[in-house]
Amino acid sequence: MKTRIALISHDKKKDDMIALASEYRDFLMTCELSATGTTGGRLINEVGLEVERKHSGPFGGDLQIGALLVEGLIDCVIFLRDPMTPQPHEPDINALVRACDVHNIACATNLSSAHLVLSQLQAQARALAKTA
């Protein structure tokens, strides 16, 4: 079964998301990926990943990812947040992070935690591949 990861990044964090995804590209290519609009477009065009794109965050993309999560269709969320810029859709962001907490889904909100989560998932995938 493929690992199902949601990738989201605020405008000032999109370059960080591209760099992160490029670093983990080989692993991410084995995963089922969902992303909000602009982030997904950049992941497709700049990293070459296959991504199911949702709406942009301010237009409901965070809520769409949250709905997938609640339905058990997301295993992990990588959400590179910009803590220094007010977001017009802050209630949606808070709802998504809360849904991660309620449903016990790993949610990385900065580069350090994203590296930890992705490296662990990658190691688990490698271990499973060796036993298969």
Side-chain angles (χ1 to χ4, degrees):
M1 182 174 176
K2 290 184 174 186
T3 303
R4 303 162 299 182
I5 302 174
L7 301 166
I8 307 164
S9 59
H10 286 149
D11 289 343
K12 290 184 179 177
K13 299 293 183 176
K14 291 197 189 314
D15 289 341
D16 289 341
M17 178 63 80
I18 297 306
L20 180 73
S22 295
E23 182 176 342
Y24 290 93
R25 182 180 186 275
D26 290 343
F27 168 64
L28 292 174
M29 296 215 31
T30 69
C31 299
E32 232 176 80
L33 305 175
S34 299
T36 49
T38 308
T39 300
R42 288 193 59 186
L43 290 166
I44 292 166
N45 295 328
E46 297 176 40
V47 186
L49 295 172
E50 187 176 315
V51 179
E52 179 185 356
R53 289 177 66 194
K54 301 298 182 185
H55 291 292
S56 291
F59 293 97
D62 299 329
L63 295 173
Q64 289 178 302
I65 299 285
L68 291 173
L69 188 149
V70 169
E71 294 297 322
L73 300 174
I74 297 290
D75 300 314
C76 167
V77 175
I78 306 295
F79 189 166
L80 299 184
R81 298 172 66 183
D82 175 7
M84 304 306 286
T85 304
Q87 302 296 325
H89 60 296
E90 193 70 35
D92 297 348
I93 295 164
N94 291 338
L96 176 59
V97 173
R98 181 179 179 279
C100 289
D101 291 341
V102 168
H103 294 277
N104 200 31
I105 299 297
C107 180
T109 60
N110 59 52
L111 279 174
S112 292
S113 59
H115 279 287
L116 288 170
V117 168
L118 289 174
S119 64
Q120 182 62 35
L121 290 172
Q122 182 175 330
Q124 287 176 347
R126 286 182 180 152
L128 283 173
K130 286 182 181 178
T131 62

